[in-house]
Amino acid sequence: MSDSEQTEKNLDFIRTRVQTDQRSGKNEGRVHTRFPPEPNGYLHLGHAKSICLNFGIAQEFGGLCNLRLDDTNPVAEKTEYAEAIQSDVRWLGFDWEERFFHASDYFDQLHAWAVQLIKNGKAFVCDLTFEEMRTYRGNLVEAGTNSPYRDRSIEENLELFEKMKLGEFPDGSKTLRARIDMSSPNLNMRDPVIYRIIHQQHPKTGDKWKIYPSYDFAHGQSDSLEGITHSICTLEFEHHRPLYDWLCENLGIYHPQQIEFARLNLNYTVMSKRKMLRLVEEGHVNGWDDPRMPTLQGMRRRGYTPQSIRDFCEKVGVAKRDNVIEVELLEHCLRHDLNLCAPRKLGVLEPLKVTISNYPDGQVEQVDAVNNPEDPDAGTRTVNFSKHIYVDRNDFMEDPPKKYFRMSPGREVRLKYAYYITCTEVIKDEGGKVIELICEYDPQSRGGDTPDGRKVKGTIQWVDASSAQSCEVRLYDRLFKTPDPDKVEGGGDFTDNLNPDSLQTIKTALVEKSVIEMQTGKPFQLERVGYFCIDPDEAGSAKLVLNRTVAMRDSWAKANK
RNA sequence: AGCCUGGUGGUGUAAUGGUAGCACAGAGGUUUUUGGUACCUUUAGUUGGGGUUCGAGUCCCUGCCGGGCUGCCA
């Protein structure tokens, strides 16, 4: 089977549809999508799924994808967010070229269309208050009743709408409503509000407008104006589709196809802007870019690569059923990418002093270390080795269980890239805590092999005492301690499920000197420990702060649970 | 309650009337100068009940369960 036949077989339902449309010649074979966030918050992993879907489909089908800011509500929207959105989409690896739009670009046209609807008797100005409108709307089981203002004359509607536009009425006093069907089982069709009065500066249009179109009156028409062929959105917009269709038809404009898919959920995570906002505002995390946040900015600071996120979005698939993805899949994608591209370094989180008794005093030599075993082109580097080194405290056990391959009295281990050593003496403080190991090394084992070919089971990492760089390391764990943070016993909320140990700070870690040359945010591997990157905190100062991106998989720890 | 929508291993996703597959997770193993990686093996699934059909995850009926909808948010 050829590749094209292979890929053809496993398309998700949206791509299947796009392919069918393209082959049937719909829209002259054009494929044009868009990513339409509202600039009222930061982008998160859920948005990444949508971005990858929309931009991905455009790429795969030889089409285009626009970036459009859905800025129809100046109350919530800020330019700060608009800028962050652009930078995040670019960082993820997508390019909208010159096709950067705003719903507000279309306010004049949208207004004209509203007037057209009024002239056709399909929209009216309504004086009902918010509460009254709710009463008139009816409910899930009962039909609504017509607004007493529903049958105003076209002239009166036109005049009133003009006055709304001129700012002659206070917020909330009047709305423009589509005249559809108050008895529709779909509440969105019960004469929905399409324009509301908001006396508020708009980031793009300033004080030009006192009235703003609702989402429903802006979105489909924006799609139409941009020639979008497939308007992909999440499931909660499903009941809006009849209204989307009604507007395109009654306005007599080009009619894109709205298609809905199920949003992404991740266990041990909250994925809504509202909840993330609370985490930030209540100080449970240190801002939107806290490395524990599922925001693109947080993940980026944590050390996630765009490639790993794109890979993840591809692997989770697209369908209509509700889903909760296991974080293990995300971590798998992360480690998979990092394994391939992250340079290796040596470092110890909990330094334990080691003195090599038979190594010459004052001697310093340089040993060769491989930069990336997955990439021969990455080459090698040298690291200092001397009589005094540090190893990780958890790589030594005075009384180890069988199957423990690391250091213990009398057992020989390999210091990665350096020598075999054997612990000959354990030094403790008054409290009985091990504070230093005295070892002997085999001068013949330089580089990690001996002429007699004897094997050692354990290989551990280390740093040279005099040249190592000290640093602070921030170890992150999942932000919530339960898979579904919203599930709370007896009436609390998701903040009750916060993991108190989601951040552990180690102030006295030691890493090889060359770590300071790493670029902020660019992950590297501390061998056997995990992937880390330099945090922007303290950048430029002598202090070094490392974020743990993700730990190594650890089958030893798992086996011992 | 009404309307809409969905239900395939633990999780996610394929199979569009013809061998239920893939990935992650789990278990076991091989390799290994990272207890990493890679590779191999393996456990585990069509929501219940009827029907149509030579043949049903797929079509029909019905039950059950999940999600969404009563903003002048998007």
Side-chain angles (χ1 to χ4, degrees), chain A residues 10 196 316 344 406 447-448 525 528 558:
Chain A
N10 288 327
R196 60 303 204 204
V316 298
R344 313 287 133 121
R406 285 109 96 154
Q525 183 190 113
R528 302 208 314 129
K558 192 177 292 177

PDB file of all heavy atoms in Angstrom, chain A residues 10 196 316 344 406 447-448 525 528 558, chain B residues 12 14 26 33-35 71-72 74:
ATOM      1  N   ASN A  10      -6.748   6.844   7.213  1.00  0.00           N
ATOM      2  CA  ASN A  10      -6.933   7.176   8.611  1.00  0.00           C
ATOM      3  C   ASN A  10      -7.243   8.649   8.872  1.00  0.00           C
ATOM      4  O   ASN A  10      -6.836   9.197   9.876  1.00  0.00           O
ATOM      5  CB  ASN A  10      -5.704   6.746   9.406  1.00  0.00           C
ATOM      6  CG  ASN A  10      -5.648   5.229   9.523  1.00  0.00           C
ATOM      7  OD1 ASN A  10      -6.692   4.581   9.586  1.00  0.00           O
ATOM      8  ND2 ASN A  10      -4.468   4.683   9.537  1.00  0.00           N
ATOM      9  N   ARG A 196     -25.742  44.844  20.561  1.00  0.00           N
ATOM     10  CA  ARG A 196     -26.040  45.390  21.870  1.00  0.00           C
ATOM     11  C   ARG A 196     -25.298  46.697  22.057  1.00  0.00           C
ATOM     12  O   ARG A 196     -24.296  46.982  21.399  1.00  0.00           O
ATOM     13  CB  ARG A 196     -25.768  44.398  22.974  1.00  0.00           C
ATOM     14  CG  ARG A 196     -24.423  43.797  23.223  1.00  0.00           C
ATOM     15  CD  ARG A 196     -23.702  43.062  22.212  1.00  0.00           C
ATOM     16  NE  ARG A 196     -22.778  42.173  22.955  1.00  0.00           N
ATOM     17  CZ  ARG A 196     -21.673  41.691  22.470  1.00  0.00           C
ATOM     18  NH1 ARG A 196     -21.299  41.936  21.237  1.00  0.00           N
ATOM     19  NH2 ARG A 196     -20.906  40.934  23.204  1.00  0.00           N
ATOM     20  N   VAL A 316      -3.563  13.006  19.662  1.00  0.00           N
ATOM     21  CA  VAL A 316      -4.834  12.932  20.383  1.00  0.00           C
ATOM     22  C   VAL A 316      -6.016  12.763  19.429  1.00  0.00           C
ATOM     23  O   VAL A 316      -7.079  12.313  19.833  1.00  0.00           O
ATOM     24  CB  VAL A 316      -5.113  14.171  21.274  1.00  0.00           C
ATOM     25  CG1 VAL A 316      -4.050  14.288  22.345  1.00  0.00           C
ATOM     26  CG2 VAL A 316      -5.201  15.442  20.457  1.00  0.00           C
ATOM     27  N   ARG A 344      23.199  16.803  26.184  1.00  0.00           N
ATOM     28  CA  ARG A 344      23.343  16.164  27.497  1.00  0.00           C
ATOM     29  C   ARG A 344      24.348  16.931  28.341  1.00  0.00           C
ATOM     30  O   ARG A 344      25.362  17.429  27.820  1.00  0.00           O
ATOM     31  CB  ARG A 344      23.812  14.711  27.346  1.00  0.00           C
ATOM     32  CG  ARG A 344      23.064  13.889  26.298  1.00  0.00           C
ATOM     33  CD  ARG A 344      21.653  13.507  26.718  1.00  0.00           C
ATOM     34  NE  ARG A 344      20.737  13.781  25.631  1.00  0.00           N
ATOM     35  CZ  ARG A 344      19.947  12.882  25.022  1.00  0.00           C
ATOM     36  NH1 ARG A 344      19.952  11.636  25.393  1.00  0.00           N
ATOM     37  NH2 ARG A 344      19.134  13.263  24.059  1.00  0.00           N
ATOM     38  N   ARG A 406      23.844   0.994  42.016  1.00  0.00           N
ATOM     39  CA  ARG A 406      24.655   2.197  42.211  1.00  0.00           C
ATOM     40  C   ARG A 406      25.705   2.016  43.307  1.00  0.00           C
ATOM     41  O   ARG A 406      26.116   0.911  43.592  1.00  0.00           O
ATOM     42  CB  ARG A 406      23.730   3.383  42.511  1.00  0.00           C
ATOM     43  CG  ARG A 406      23.007   3.866  41.268  1.00  0.00           C
ATOM     44  CD  ARG A 406      21.516   3.565  41.228  1.00  0.00           C
ATOM     45  NE  ARG A 406      20.738   4.683  41.678  1.00  0.00           N
ATOM     46  CZ  ARG A 406      19.480   4.933  41.330  1.00  0.00           C
ATOM     47  NH1 ARG A 406      18.832   4.133  40.478  1.00  0.00           N
ATOM     48  NH2 ARG A 406      18.858   5.961  41.820  1.00  0.00           N
ATOM     49  N   GLY A 447      37.798   6.725  30.776  1.00  0.00           N
ATOM     50  CA  GLY A 447      36.877   6.660  29.647  1.00  0.00           C
ATOM     51  C   GLY A 447      35.739   5.689  29.897  1.00  0.00           C
ATOM     52  O   GLY A 447      34.729   5.706  29.202  1.00  0.00           O
ATOM     53  N   GLY A 448      35.940   4.811  30.919  1.00  0.00           N
ATOM     54  CA  GLY A 448      34.819   3.954  31.265  1.00  0.00           C
ATOM     55  C   GLY A 448      34.956   2.499  30.877  1.00  0.00           C
ATOM     56  O   GLY A 448      33.982   1.767  30.900  1.00  0.00           O
ATOM     57  N   GLN A 525      19.424  17.885  28.696  1.00  0.00           N
ATOM     58  CA  GLN A 525      19.206  16.771  29.623  1.00  0.00           C
ATOM     59  C   GLN A 525      20.316  16.723  30.658  1.00  0.00           C
ATOM     60  O   GLN A 525      21.494  16.778  30.307  1.00  0.00           O
ATOM     61  CB  GLN A 525      19.178  15.444  28.847  1.00  0.00           C
ATOM     62  CG  GLN A 525      18.871  14.242  29.746  1.00  0.00           C
ATOM     63  CD  GLN A 525      19.069  12.896  29.068  1.00  0.00           C
ATOM     64  OE1 GLN A 525      19.959  12.127  29.436  1.00  0.00           O
ATOM     65  NE2 GLN A 525      18.245  12.615  28.061  1.00  0.00           N
ATOM     66  N   ARG A 528      20.501  11.038  33.375  1.00  0.00           N
ATOM     67  CA  ARG A 528      19.866  10.197  34.398  1.00  0.00           C
ATOM     68  C   ARG A 528      18.916  10.962  35.311  1.00  0.00           C
ATOM     69  O   ARG A 528      18.263  10.365  36.162  1.00  0.00           O
ATOM     70  CB  ARG A 528      20.918   9.468  35.267  1.00  0.00           C
ATOM     71  CG  ARG A 528      21.860   8.579  34.457  1.00  0.00           C
ATOM     72  CD  ARG A 528      22.365   7.426  35.289  1.00  0.00           C
ATOM     73  NE  ARG A 528      22.790   7.876  36.581  1.00  0.00           N
ATOM     74  CZ  ARG A 528      22.396   7.330  37.735  1.00  0.00           C
ATOM     75  NH1 ARG A 528      21.612   6.292  37.749  1.00  0.00           N
ATOM     76  NH2 ARG A 528      22.816   7.824  38.871  1.00  0.00           N
ATOM     77  N   LYS A 558       9.879   3.116  39.592  1.00  0.00           N
ATOM     78  CA  LYS A 558       8.568   2.514  39.396  1.00  0.00           C
ATOM     79  C   LYS A 558       8.523   1.093  39.983  1.00  0.00           C
ATOM     80  O   LYS A 558       7.581   0.705  40.651  1.00  0.00           O
ATOM     81  CB  LYS A 558       8.269   2.468  37.894  1.00  0.00           C
ATOM     82  CG  LYS A 558       6.840   2.146  37.595  1.00  0.00           C
ATOM     83  CD  LYS A 558       6.577   2.191  36.106  1.00  0.00           C
ATOM     84  CE  LYS A 558       6.683   3.602  35.546  1.00  0.00           C
ATOM     85  NZ  LYS A 558       6.499   3.627  34.094  1.00  0.00           N
TER      86      LYS A 558
ATOM     87  P     G B  12     -11.031   8.547  26.837  1.00  0.00           P
ATOM     88  OP1   G B  12     -11.811   9.745  27.166  1.00  0.00           O
ATOM     89  OP2   G B  12     -11.706   7.247  26.705  1.00  0.00           O
ATOM     90  O5'   G B  12     -10.228   8.793  25.483  1.00  0.00           O
ATOM     91  C5'   G B  12      -9.580  10.030  25.270  1.00  0.00           C
ATOM     92  C4'   G B  12      -8.665   9.948  24.072  1.00  0.00           C
ATOM     93  O4'   G B  12      -7.687   8.891  24.267  1.00  0.00           O
ATOM     94  C3'   G B  12      -9.295   9.576  22.743  1.00  0.00           C
ATOM     95  O3'   G B  12     -10.002  10.662  22.172  1.00  0.00           O
ATOM     96  C2'   G B  12      -8.053   9.206  21.950  1.00  0.00           C
ATOM     97  O2'   G B  12      -7.328  10.366  21.592  1.00  0.00           O
ATOM     98  C1'   G B  12      -7.249   8.434  23.002  1.00  0.00           C
ATOM     99  N9    G B  12      -7.511   6.995  22.873  1.00  0.00           N
ATOM    100  C8    G B  12      -8.375   6.216  23.590  1.00  0.00           C
ATOM    101  N7    G B  12      -8.386   4.969  23.196  1.00  0.00           N
ATOM    102  C5    G B  12      -7.483   4.924  22.153  1.00  0.00           C
ATOM    103  C6    G B  12      -7.075   3.840  21.321  1.00  0.00           C
ATOM    104  O6    G B  12      -7.449   2.669  21.348  1.00  0.00           O
ATOM    105  N1    G B  12      -6.137   4.236  20.379  1.00  0.00           N
ATOM    106  C2    G B  12      -5.652   5.514  20.249  1.00  0.00           C
ATOM    107  N2    G B  12      -4.751   5.708  19.292  1.00  0.00           N
ATOM    108  N3    G B  12      -6.010   6.539  21.019  1.00  0.00           N
ATOM    109  C4    G B  12      -6.929   6.171  21.934  1.00  0.00           C
ATOM    110  P     A B  14     -11.100   9.055  14.873  1.00  0.00           P
ATOM    111  OP1   A B  14     -11.206  10.156  13.904  1.00  0.00           O
ATOM    112  OP2   A B  14     -12.299   8.499  15.515  1.00  0.00           O
ATOM    113  O5'   A B  14     -10.284   7.883  14.168  1.00  0.00           O
ATOM    114  C5'   A B  14     -10.976   6.939  13.397  1.00  0.00           C
ATOM    115  C4'   A B  14      -9.983   6.012  12.752  1.00  0.00           C
ATOM    116  O4'   A B  14      -9.294   5.251  13.774  1.00  0.00           O
ATOM    117  C3'   A B  14     -10.631   4.966  11.863  1.00  0.00           C
ATOM    118  O3'   A B  14     -10.877   5.489  10.576  1.00  0.00           O
ATOM    119  C2'   A B  14      -9.584   3.860  11.872  1.00  0.00           C
ATOM    120  O2'   A B  14      -8.518   4.169  11.003  1.00  0.00           O
ATOM    121  C1'   A B  14      -9.083   3.927  13.319  1.00  0.00           C
ATOM    122  N9    A B  14      -9.808   3.020  14.223  1.00  0.00           N
ATOM    123  C8    A B  14     -10.558   3.361  15.324  1.00  0.00           C
ATOM    124  N7    A B  14     -11.077   2.336  15.963  1.00  0.00           N
ATOM    125  C5    A B  14     -10.636   1.242  15.228  1.00  0.00           C
ATOM    126  C6    A B  14     -10.833  -0.138  15.381  1.00  0.00           C
ATOM    127  N6    A B  14     -11.566  -0.670  16.362  1.00  0.00           N
ATOM    128  N1    A B  14     -10.263  -0.959  14.472  1.00  0.00           N
ATOM    129  C2    A B  14      -9.535  -0.421  13.486  1.00  0.00           C
ATOM    130  N3    A B  14      -9.269   0.860  13.238  1.00  0.00           N
ATOM    131  C4    A B  14      -9.855   1.654  14.153  1.00  0.00           C
ATOM    132  P     G B  26       3.554   2.758  32.311  1.00  0.00           P
ATOM    133  OP1   G B  26       4.157   3.173  33.598  1.00  0.00           O
ATOM    134  OP2   G B  26       4.409   2.586  31.116  1.00  0.00           O
ATOM    135  O5'   G B  26       2.731   1.408  32.525  1.00  0.00           O
ATOM    136  C5'   G B  26       1.810   1.313  33.604  1.00  0.00           C
ATOM    137  C4'   G B  26       1.181  -0.052  33.630  1.00  0.00           C
ATOM    138  O4'   G B  26       0.368  -0.246  32.440  1.00  0.00           O
ATOM    139  C3'   G B  26       2.146  -1.229  33.592  1.00  0.00           C
ATOM    140  O3'   G B  26       2.704  -1.491  34.862  1.00  0.00           O
ATOM    141  C2'   G B  26       1.223  -2.352  33.134  1.00  0.00           C
ATOM    142  O2'   G B  26       0.390  -2.792  34.182  1.00  0.00           O
ATOM    143  C1'   G B  26       0.373  -1.621  32.087  1.00  0.00           C
ATOM    144  N9    G B  26       0.931  -1.766  30.741  1.00  0.00           N
ATOM    145  C8    G B  26       1.490  -0.790  29.963  1.00  0.00           C
ATOM    146  N7    G B  26       1.906  -1.229  28.798  1.00  0.00           N
ATOM    147  C5    G B  26       1.599  -2.585  28.813  1.00  0.00           C
ATOM    148  C6    G B  26       1.808  -3.599  27.837  1.00  0.00           C
ATOM    149  O6    G B  26       2.321  -3.486  26.724  1.00  0.00           O
ATOM    150  N1    G B  26       1.349  -4.840  28.265  1.00  0.00           N
ATOM    151  C2    G B  26       0.758  -5.075  29.496  1.00  0.00           C
ATOM    152  N2    G B  26       0.392  -6.342  29.735  1.00  0.00           N
ATOM    153  N3    G B  26       0.556  -4.142  30.403  1.00  0.00           N
ATOM    154  C4    G B  26       0.994  -2.933  30.008  1.00  0.00           C
ATOM    155  P     U B  33      27.709  -0.742  27.311  1.00  0.00           P
ATOM    156  OP1   U B  33      28.768  -0.950  26.320  1.00  0.00           O
ATOM    157  OP2   U B  33      27.255  -1.830  28.182  1.00  0.00           O
ATOM    158  O5'   U B  33      28.137   0.516  28.204  1.00  0.00           O
ATOM    159  C5'   U B  33      27.601   0.660  29.496  1.00  0.00           C
ATOM    160  C4'   U B  33      27.488   2.126  29.826  1.00  0.00           C
ATOM    161  O4'   U B  33      28.802   2.651  30.162  1.00  0.00           O
ATOM    162  C3'   U B  33      26.949   2.972  28.694  1.00  0.00           C
ATOM    163  O3'   U B  33      26.084   3.947  29.251  1.00  0.00           O
ATOM    164  C2'   U B  33      28.190   3.694  28.170  1.00  0.00           C
ATOM    165  O2'   U B  33      27.922   4.969  27.622  1.00  0.00           O
ATOM    166  C1'   U B  33      28.990   3.856  29.468  1.00  0.00           C
ATOM    167  N1    U B  33      30.422   4.062  29.273  1.00  0.00           N
ATOM    168  C2    U B  33      30.913   5.311  29.626  1.00  0.00           C
ATOM    169  O2    U B  33      30.200   6.183  30.090  1.00  0.00           O
ATOM    170  N3    U B  33      32.252   5.487  29.421  1.00  0.00           N
ATOM    171  C4    U B  33      33.112   4.565  28.916  1.00  0.00           C
ATOM    172  O4    U B  33      34.298   4.882  28.802  1.00  0.00           O
ATOM    173  C5    U B  33      32.542   3.300  28.571  1.00  0.00           C
ATOM    174  C6    U B  33      31.236   3.090  28.753  1.00  0.00           C
ATOM    175  P     U B  34      24.499   3.781  29.061  1.00  0.00           P
ATOM    176  OP1   U B  34      24.032   2.551  29.731  1.00  0.00           O
ATOM    177  OP2   U B  34      24.172   4.016  27.649  1.00  0.00           O
ATOM    178  O5'   U B  34      23.973   5.018  29.898  1.00  0.00           O
ATOM    179  C5'   U B  34      24.542   5.310  31.165  1.00  0.00           C
ATOM    180  C4'   U B  34      23.511   6.011  32.001  1.00  0.00           C
ATOM    181  O4'   U B  34      23.237   7.308  31.392  1.00  0.00           O
ATOM    182  C3'   U B  34      22.171   5.281  32.057  1.00  0.00           C
ATOM    183  O3'   U B  34      21.572   5.529  33.323  1.00  0.00           O
ATOM    184  C2'   U B  34      21.349   5.963  30.995  1.00  0.00           C
ATOM    185  O2'   U B  34      19.976   5.925  31.235  1.00  0.00           O
ATOM    186  C1'   U B  34      21.861   7.405  31.105  1.00  0.00           C
ATOM    187  N1    U B  34      21.698   8.140  29.854  1.00  0.00           N
ATOM    188  C2    U B  34      21.015   9.341  29.914  1.00  0.00           C
ATOM    189  O2    U B  34      20.581   9.813  30.954  1.00  0.00           O
ATOM    190  N3    U B  34      20.876   9.976  28.718  1.00  0.00           N
ATOM    191  C4    U B  34      21.322   9.536  27.503  1.00  0.00           C
ATOM    192  O4    U B  34      21.107  10.213  26.505  1.00  0.00           O
ATOM    193  C5    U B  34      22.017   8.278  27.511  1.00  0.00           C
ATOM    194  C6    U B  34      22.170   7.642  28.671  1.00  0.00           C
ATOM    195  P     G B  35      21.401   4.354  34.370  1.00  0.00           P
ATOM    196  OP1   G B  35      21.305   5.100  35.625  1.00  0.00           O
ATOM    197  OP2   G B  35      22.430   3.310  34.178  1.00  0.00           O
ATOM    198  O5'   G B  35      19.989   3.730  34.063  1.00  0.00           O
ATOM    199  C5'   G B  35      19.791   2.744  33.061  1.00  0.00           C
ATOM    200  C4'   G B  35      18.512   1.994  33.364  1.00  0.00           C
ATOM    201  O4'   G B  35      18.700   1.280  34.597  1.00  0.00           O
ATOM    202  C3'   G B  35      17.313   2.908  33.565  1.00  0.00           C
ATOM    203  O3'   G B  35      16.139   2.197  33.221  1.00  0.00           O
ATOM    204  C2'   G B  35      17.320   3.135  35.068  1.00  0.00           C
ATOM    205  O2'   G B  35      16.058   3.434  35.614  1.00  0.00           O
ATOM    206  C1'   G B  35      17.791   1.767  35.569  1.00  0.00           C
ATOM    207  N9    G B  35      18.486   1.818  36.842  1.00  0.00           N
ATOM    208  C8    G B  35      19.187   2.836  37.410  1.00  0.00           C
ATOM    209  N7    G B  35      19.672   2.543  38.583  1.00  0.00           N
ATOM    210  C5    G B  35      19.260   1.239  38.790  1.00  0.00           C
ATOM    211  C6    G B  35      19.470   0.372  39.877  1.00  0.00           C
ATOM    212  O6    G B  35      20.095   0.596  40.910  1.00  0.00           O
ATOM    213  N1    G B  35      18.870  -0.860  39.684  1.00  0.00           N
ATOM    214  C2    G B  35      18.167  -1.225  38.567  1.00  0.00           C
ATOM    215  N2    G B  35      17.653  -2.441  38.553  1.00  0.00           N
ATOM    216  N3    G B  35      17.949  -0.435  37.530  1.00  0.00           N
ATOM    217  C4    G B  35      18.527   0.774  37.719  1.00  0.00           C
ATOM    218  P     G B  71     -29.951  32.637  29.884  1.00  0.00           P
ATOM    219  OP1   G B  71     -29.926  31.868  31.119  1.00  0.00           O
ATOM    220  OP2   G B  71     -30.451  34.013  29.822  1.00  0.00           O
ATOM    221  O5'   G B  71     -28.456  32.650  29.318  1.00  0.00           O
ATOM    222  C5'   G B  71     -28.206  33.216  28.041  1.00  0.00           C
ATOM    223  C4'   G B  71     -27.866  34.682  28.218  1.00  0.00           C
ATOM    224  O4'   G B  71     -26.704  34.757  29.069  1.00  0.00           O
ATOM    225  C3'   G B  71     -27.528  35.408  26.936  1.00  0.00           C
ATOM    226  O3'   G B  71     -27.940  36.765  27.086  1.00  0.00           O
ATOM    227  C2'   G B  71     -26.019  35.390  26.940  1.00  0.00           C
ATOM    228  O2'   G B  71     -25.456  36.440  26.203  1.00  0.00           O
ATOM    229  C1'   G B  71     -25.752  35.617  28.433  1.00  0.00           C
ATOM    230  N9    G B  71     -24.424  35.281  28.886  1.00  0.00           N
ATOM    231  C8    G B  71     -23.463  36.155  29.293  1.00  0.00           C
ATOM    232  N7    G B  71     -22.362  35.571  29.659  1.00  0.00           N
ATOM    233  C5    G B  71     -22.616  34.226  29.489  1.00  0.00           C
ATOM    234  C6    G B  71     -21.807  33.118  29.717  1.00  0.00           C
ATOM    235  O6    G B  71     -20.658  33.103  30.146  1.00  0.00           O
ATOM    236  N1    G B  71     -22.435  31.927  29.424  1.00  0.00           N
ATOM    237  C2    G B  71     -23.699  31.837  28.937  1.00  0.00           C
ATOM    238  N2    G B  71     -24.155  30.633  28.699  1.00  0.00           N
ATOM    239  N3    G B  71     -24.477  32.870  28.715  1.00  0.00           N
ATOM    240  C4    G B  71     -23.879  34.032  29.013  1.00  0.00           C
ATOM    241  P     C B  72     -29.110  37.311  26.309  1.00  0.00           P
ATOM    242  OP1   C B  72     -30.153  37.657  27.261  1.00  0.00           O
ATOM    243  OP2   C B  72     -29.394  36.423  25.151  1.00  0.00           O
ATOM    244  O5'   C B  72     -28.454  38.660  25.762  1.00  0.00           O
ATOM    245  C5'   C B  72     -27.547  38.610  24.675  1.00  0.00           C
ATOM    246  C4'   C B  72     -26.676  39.847  24.701  1.00  0.00           C
ATOM    247  O4'   C B  72     -27.549  41.015  24.667  1.00  0.00           O
ATOM    248  C3'   C B  72     -25.845  39.955  25.962  1.00  0.00           C
ATOM    249  O3'   C B  72     -24.602  40.554  25.617  1.00  0.00           O
ATOM    250  C2'   C B  72     -26.646  40.930  26.818  1.00  0.00           C
ATOM    251  O2'   C B  72     -25.838  41.708  27.691  1.00  0.00           O
ATOM    252  C1'   C B  72     -27.224  41.852  25.740  1.00  0.00           C
ATOM    253  N1    C B  72     -28.451  42.552  26.177  1.00  0.00           N
ATOM    254  C2    C B  72     -28.366  43.916  26.387  1.00  0.00           C
ATOM    255  O2    C B  72     -27.283  44.486  26.186  1.00  0.00           O
ATOM    256  N3    C B  72     -29.465  44.585  26.794  1.00  0.00           N
ATOM    257  C4    C B  72     -30.590  43.927  26.991  1.00  0.00           C
ATOM    258  N4    C B  72     -31.640  44.641  27.396  1.00  0.00           N
ATOM    259  C5    C B  72     -30.688  42.541  26.790  1.00  0.00           C
ATOM    260  C6    C B  72     -29.604  41.878  26.392  1.00  0.00           C
ATOM    261  P     A B  74     -19.787  37.980  22.311  1.00  0.00           P
ATOM    262  OP1   A B  74     -19.391  39.287  21.732  1.00  0.00           O
ATOM    263  OP2   A B  74     -21.101  37.397  21.987  1.00  0.00           O
ATOM    264  O5'   A B  74     -18.674  36.906  21.971  1.00  0.00           O
ATOM    265  C5'   A B  74     -17.301  37.142  22.283  1.00  0.00           C
ATOM    266  C4'   A B  74     -16.593  35.819  22.311  1.00  0.00           C
ATOM    267  O4'   A B  74     -17.176  35.005  23.358  1.00  0.00           O
ATOM    268  C3'   A B  74     -16.752  34.976  21.052  1.00  0.00           C
ATOM    269  O3'   A B  74     -15.817  35.327  20.057  1.00  0.00           O
ATOM    270  C2'   A B  74     -16.534  33.563  21.588  1.00  0.00           C
ATOM    271  O2'   A B  74     -15.169  33.291  21.773  1.00  0.00           O
ATOM    272  C1'   A B  74     -17.225  33.649  22.949  1.00  0.00           C
ATOM    273  N9    A B  74     -18.625  33.214  22.886  1.00  0.00           N
ATOM    274  C8    A B  74     -19.716  33.938  22.501  1.00  0.00           C
ATOM    275  N7    A B  74     -20.839  33.264  22.541  1.00  0.00           N
ATOM    276  C5    A B  74     -20.462  32.006  22.986  1.00  0.00           C
ATOM    277  C6    A B  74     -21.200  30.826  23.241  1.00  0.00           C
ATOM    278  N6    A B  74     -22.517  30.722  23.079  1.00  0.00           N
ATOM    279  N1    A B  74     -20.519  29.746  23.675  1.00  0.00           N
ATOM    280  C2    A B  74     -19.195  29.850  23.836  1.00  0.00           C
ATOM    281  N3    A B  74     -18.394  30.899  23.631  1.00  0.00           N
ATOM    282  C4    A B  74     -19.102  31.960  23.204  1.00  0.00           C
TER     283        A B  74
END
